[in-house]
Amino acid sequence: MDRPFRFGVNMMIPASATEWRAKCRRAEALGYDVIAVADHLGMPAPFPALVAAAEATERPRLGTFTLNAAFFNPTLLAREVATTDQLTGGRLELGLGTGYVKAEHDKANLPFGTPGERVAHLRRTIEELDRLAVAEDFAPHPAQAPRPPLLIGGNGNKVLELAARHADIVAFTGAATAPGDPSGAPRALSAEQLDERVATYRKFAADRAEPAELNLLINFVVPTDDRRAAIRPHLGNVPHLTEDEALDLPILLLGTTQQMAEQVRAQRERYGFTYLTVLEPAMEAFAPVLEALRGE
């Protein structure tokens, strides 16, 4: 059976304490199931932001989406995770990834390393978090036993294989770095390319006793009565795609409320995505779609 939909909003914009709590309460009022915080320089620090979100709300889960594992020592991260889970009343969902923005590592004076080195650090981090969550000689322990639900985000084979072994939630970005692009900037995956990534994950996860929840980050939500007219000014951002391919992008919701709701249903059928996250600027625009899909 399909899982019911869950919807999250990824908070990215710094704010005062009063403004932060107000927008978290707004996300709860709109019906979002998860309030998440990104982990990029120039954005709010995830753990204190989530504690403040917990104080302002009652229902939503609270997530990191996703932590850059290279920013953290695993033992110190275990302390942050456990304390945050305790202070949020066991509402934490821990999202982890390798990190992909070299400029942020350079600014923080941290090594970026090779893709293999970043995945190895992510693996060590996950294994240490699991160990310390129940270690008798380590404190504090998380409120949730044995640990908060783990989300792993990424698209590469090594990360998907790691997610198949460890993740309760697997997050697909719908974008990847183009081979040979020195900038490292991700570009949108076509619907067919995302098919291949999800199929690869399913092969790695074939022996799981319980299937993971599958998440997709929606990058843009554009309410419109004319989908083609709305997409044309943006085709320059996806020069590798035709207009029809751009309209079929999984990370783009574009159309009327009914059309966007149908796209979400179709993507659940095609890929298995039941947990969708939108970026903070789209929180209000996506709310009617969320309402149309509530309870499905």
Side-chain angles (χ1 to χ4, degrees), residues 181-203:
D181 183 351
S183 73
R187 73 178 188 181
L189 296 179
S190 69
E192 290 74 21
Q193 288 173 316
L194 190 55
D195 273 328
E196 187 275 330
R197 289 291 80 202
V198 173
T200 297
Y201 164 75
R202 293 192 186 282
K203 290 178 183 178

Side-chain angles (χ1 to χ4, degrees), residues 69-248:
F71 285 175
F72 295 92
N73 169 286
T75 302
L76 299 180
L77 178 58
R79 181 181 65 171
E80 297 287 337
V81 169
T83 300
T84 302
D85 198 38
Q86 290 284 354
L87 294 178
T88 59
R91 292 158 63 189
L92 180 65
E93 294 185 356
L94 178 65
L96 286 171
T98 61
Y100 62 92
V101 184
K102 183 178 184 299
E104 293 187 353
H105 291 72
D106 293 342
K107 187 174 289 188
N109 198 28
L110 291 169
F112 187 57
T114 66
E117 289 169 338
R118 295 197 296 278
V119 173
H121 180 72
L122 176 60
R123 179 182 297 108
R124 289 192 298 271
T125 299
I126 292 167
E127 291 171 350
E128 190 68 356
L129 289 174
D130 281 350
R131 184 183 74 84
L132 293 174
V134 297
E136 294 183 359
D137 61 347
F138 186 83
H141 289 157
Q144 300 173 87
R147 56 156 172 75
L150 177 64
L151 176 152
I152 296 177
N155 280 333
N157 284 359
K158 291 181 179 179
V159 172
L160 292 177
E161 186 175 10
L162 190 63
R165 292 202 304 270
H166 294 280
D168 303 293
I169 307 161
V170 183
F172 292 82
T173 62
T177 302
D181 183 351
S183 73
R187 73 178 188 181
L189 296 179
S190 69
E192 290 74 21
Q193 288 173 316
L194 190 55
D195 273 328
E196 187 275 330
R197 289 291 80 202
V198 173
T200 297
Y201 164 75
R202 293 192 186 282
K203 290 178 183 178
F204 290 136
D207 295 332
R208 284 184 65 119
E210 295 291 337
E213 185 178 31
L214 301 189
N215 169 277
L216 180 67
L217 175 64
I218 302 296
N219 289 64
F220 297 99
V221 178
V222 184
T224 179
D225 292 324
D226 188 337
R227 299 180 77 241
R228 289 192 179 276
I231 196 66
R232 284 172 186 146
H234 304 285
L235 291 176
N237 298 324
V238 285
H240 59 297
L241 301 178
T242 67
E243 183 176 303
D244 285 339
E245 288 172 333
L247 285 168
D248 201 29

